[in-house]
Amino acid sequence: MNSSPPRLSRRAFSAAAAAAVLAACTSAGRPTQPASASAPPKTEPPRPLRIGLALGGGAARGFAHIGVIKALEARNVRVDLLAGTSAGSVIAALSASGMNGIAINKLALTMDEASISDWAMPFRARGILQGVALQNYLNRTLENRPIEKMARPLGIVATDLKTGQPILFQRGNTGIAVRASCSVPSIFEPVKIGGHEYVDGGLVSPVPAAFARKMGADFVIAVDISARPETALTQSSFDVLMQTFTIMGQTIKAYELDKYADAVIRPNLAAMSGSDFGQRNAAILAGEEAVARIWPELQQQLAGRAATA
């Protein structure tokens, strides 16, 4: 019996070879699927620099804040939020409501000092002024708009009389919060809000740069209108009290400005007393001039921070 493997016929062999060649050609010619390319990551557009304006206390010297706001607006500096202490809280509230610097300037020139001063009765011995007139004047001007309904975020700083801790009002009655922030002890009566009594915010935050930062500012412009102790006028009992505040607040202010303010504007108000409402025009002009002096540096800072935001 023949055990050798069977031989393919020539025709069968040719057919098998042809099939193999065709299979190889088909495989070689089949296009390969390209590796899936991952989509490029989406790049979010840079967020605009969020600028906060921190307006400090200084009684009648607070009119300088108006000049600062006018000068910044003239240079197209867009302020996104405002924090105010004492006199600064009044101007901050007006500005946050949507009023521009020129409108606030006109309001300041027509403001009657008597319209924001209300003498406390003799039996109310915790302050010479009640402060209700200031509260009502501001609420009328702002058409009773609460803090949270302002055109721009607004923070108003006051001091808890019992604990000595600062509070940042960001909701509620604007006039009452400003009144609390302005309640210089022994001049204004403390203001009761929610079971607590509050007095002037300048005791704990003379220029509220830290609170402007807390509210979300990337770049804080602080306006310091306080008098330097060595140059302050002390011609009245009110001046002496303000001088005391200035001395007490020096260390707090220096720390807060150094740590939280990116730029500090200091209007030249050496010749102006905190009780002199008659120099409001001069104070406004001093604010404008202070911005002009610092503008080259401030412009460079803003451009640099915007580029890295």
Side-chain angles (χ1 to χ4, degrees):
M1 184 176 179
N2 189 358
S3 60
S4 60
R7 295 184 179 179
L8 293 173
S9 66
R10 179 174 296 180
R11 181 178 297 174
F13 177 80
S14 298
V21 171
L22 286 173
C25 290
T26 303
S27 173
R30 185 180 299 138
T32 57
Q33 294 295 325
S36 59
S38 59
K42 292 182 178 180
T43 56
E44 295 292 334
R47 181 172 64 83
L49 191 66
R50 193 168 169 81
I51 299 173
L53 189 60
L55 305 182
R61 298 158 68 95
F63 288 106
H65 290 315
I66 301 171
V68 170
I69 290 171
K70 285 175 62 181
L72 291 176
E73 288 176 349
R75 290 164 175 80
N76 296 317
V77 176
R78 185 201 70 258
V79 172
D80 298 288
L81 59 89
L82 296 102
T85 288
S86 199
S89 71
V90 178
I91 307 304
L94 295 172
S95 181
S97 75
M99 294 178 68
N100 62 27
I102 294 174
I104 301 173
N105 195 148
K106 290 179 180 177
L107 183 68
L109 296 181
T110 59
M111 179 190 295
D112 179 10
E113 187 179 347
S115 67
I116 59 172
S117 302
D118 49 355
W119 298 96
M121 299 299 290
F123 57 84
R124 300 170 70 96
R126 303 181 72 196
I128 300 171
L129 301 174
Q130 288 180 271
V132 177
L134 171 63
Q135 170 186 323
N136 291 340
Y137 173 82
L138 197 59
N139 279 338
R140 281 196 308 271
T141 303
L142 299 175
E143 299 179 339
N144 293 309
R145 196 183 317 179
I147 299 171
E148 68 272 17
K149 296 294 185 181
M150 294 297 173
R152 289 177 288 180
L154 169 66
I156 297 170
V157 181
T159 305
D160 188 310
L161 182 59
K162 185 174 182 179
T163 66
Q165 293 299 309
I167 182 170
L168 180 68
F169 291 107
Q170 293 184 275
R171 298 185 64 82
N173 187 301
T174 306
I176 293 178
V178 168
R179 174 187 166 196
S181 184
C182 293
S183 290
V184 179
S186 81
I187 300 295
F188 285 91
E189 291 185 334
V191 180
K192 183 170 285 188
I193 303 174
H196 292 255
E197 288 189 315
Y198 297 99
V199 292
D200 197 300
L203 292 171
V204 288
S205 183
V207 186
F211 290 99
R213 186 76 69 187
K214 182 179 180 179
M215 290 170 64
D218 303 312
F219 190 97
V220 175
I221 302 173
V223 186
D224 179 13
I225 58 169
S226 62
R228 294 171 57 188
E230 62 272 22
T231 62
L233 299 175
T234 54
Q235 299 172 348
S236 67
S237 59
F238 181 79
D239 290 340
V240 172
L241 182 60
M242 294 305 294
Q243 170 78 333
T244 304
F245 274 22
T246 299
I247 294 169
M248 290 170 56
Q250 282 291 93
T251 302
I252 300 171
K253 183 183 71 175
Y255 171 80
E256 188 165 2
L257 292 180
D258 182 64
K259 185 170 183 179
Y260 297 105
D262 296 285
V264 181
I265 298 172
R266 292 185 172 93
N268 182 6
L269 300 166
M272 183 176 179
S273 162
S275 60
D276 190 354
F277 281 79
Q279 292 197 59
R280 62 189 75 182
N281 260 328
I284 293 170
L285 182 59
E288 295 183 51
E289 291 173 343
V291 174
R293 285 195 303 271
I294 198 176
W295 178 242
E297 178 186 351
L298 178 58
Q299 185 180 32
Q300 188 174 18
Q301 284 181 281
L302 288 170
R305 287 293 295 275
T308 58

